[in-house]
Amino acid sequence: MKNKEELKSLVEAVTSAKSYEGNYGYRITDTSATLSHVDESDRQQAPADYLEFLSEFGFGELDAAFHLDDGPEKYSTVCGREIEGYEGIYVFGGNSSDVLYAFDAKNNWQIVEVSSELDEVDMLASNFSDFILERLRYIKSLVEKRAVV
């Protein structure tokens, strides 16, 4: 996993803030259980940096702007029905509004954003390491802004 020290620093900055109310930091110990909702044919390609992050830094609600689930779930399960074109989408997190973050297993496990308002999938990052670093930087900036108010 890239940028491990910066990731650690960002997680600590957010979780140690006075206004922190999340429940972040539960760590996975069994990657096979973590991937239990991923189709067998897709499991071997699951991003190692994602699994390493869950093992080392954990999952849970980091902020209202971001929560990370304990494993990816098929989009069809989350929304309650099959949607054509979303077959390889596995949701792994989101925010407190209607935005979900997911892997697109059919496109090299890129990170995508799924929003019910947009009714489309937008590519955010080519890998989990880049995505989580950007997300954590953003959340830290939110926490810092709240501290000033």
Side-chain angles (χ1 to χ4, degrees), residues 27-38:
R27 295 186 175 133
I28 66 160
T29 56
D30 181 1
T31 57
S32 62
T34 300
L35 298 175
S36 64
H37 297 289
V38 174

Side-chain angles (χ1 to χ4, degrees), residues 26-31 50-58:
Y26 304 103
R27 295 186 175 133
I28 66 160
T29 56
D30 181 1
T31 57
Y50 166 70
L51 297 171
E52 185 178 350
F53 186 89
L54 291 178
S55 296
E56 191 156 328
F57 298 105

Side-chain angles (χ1 to χ4, degrees), residues 56 64 75 79 95 139 142 148:
E56 191 156 328
Y75 182 71
C79 71
N95 65 23
I139 294 165
L142 292 176
V148 174

Side-chain angles (χ1 to χ4, degrees), residues 50-118:
Y50 166 70
L51 297 171
E52 185 178 350
F53 186 89
L54 291 178
S55 296
E56 191 156 328
F57 298 105
F59 62 91
E61 182 180 25
L62 191 57
D63 185 86
F66 185 68
H67 71 270
L68 190 61
D69 299 329
D70 61 347
E73 184 83 35
K74 289 184 86 165
Y75 182 71
S76 60
T77 302
V78 173
C79 71
R81 62 188 170 93
E82 292 289 333
I83 299 175
E84 189 175 330
Y86 286 62
E87 294 84 7
I89 304 295
Y90 294 97
V91 176
F92 64 82
N95 65 23
S96 60
S97 63
D98 72 340
V99 173
L100 298 174
Y101 301 112
F103 293 111
D104 184 350
K106 304 299 181 212
N107 286 300
N108 298 318
W109 289 80
Q110 295 176 346
I111 309 304
V112 296
E113 177 180 283
V114 183
S115 171
S116 61
E117 288 184 13
L118 298 177

Side-chain angles (χ1 to χ4, degrees), residues 116-131:
S116 61
E117 288 184 13
L118 298 177
D119 198 29
E120 62 184 40
V121 174
D122 289 325
M123 201 274 271
L124 298 177
S126 61
N127 61 69
F128 183 78
S129 291
D130 291 345
F131 167 79

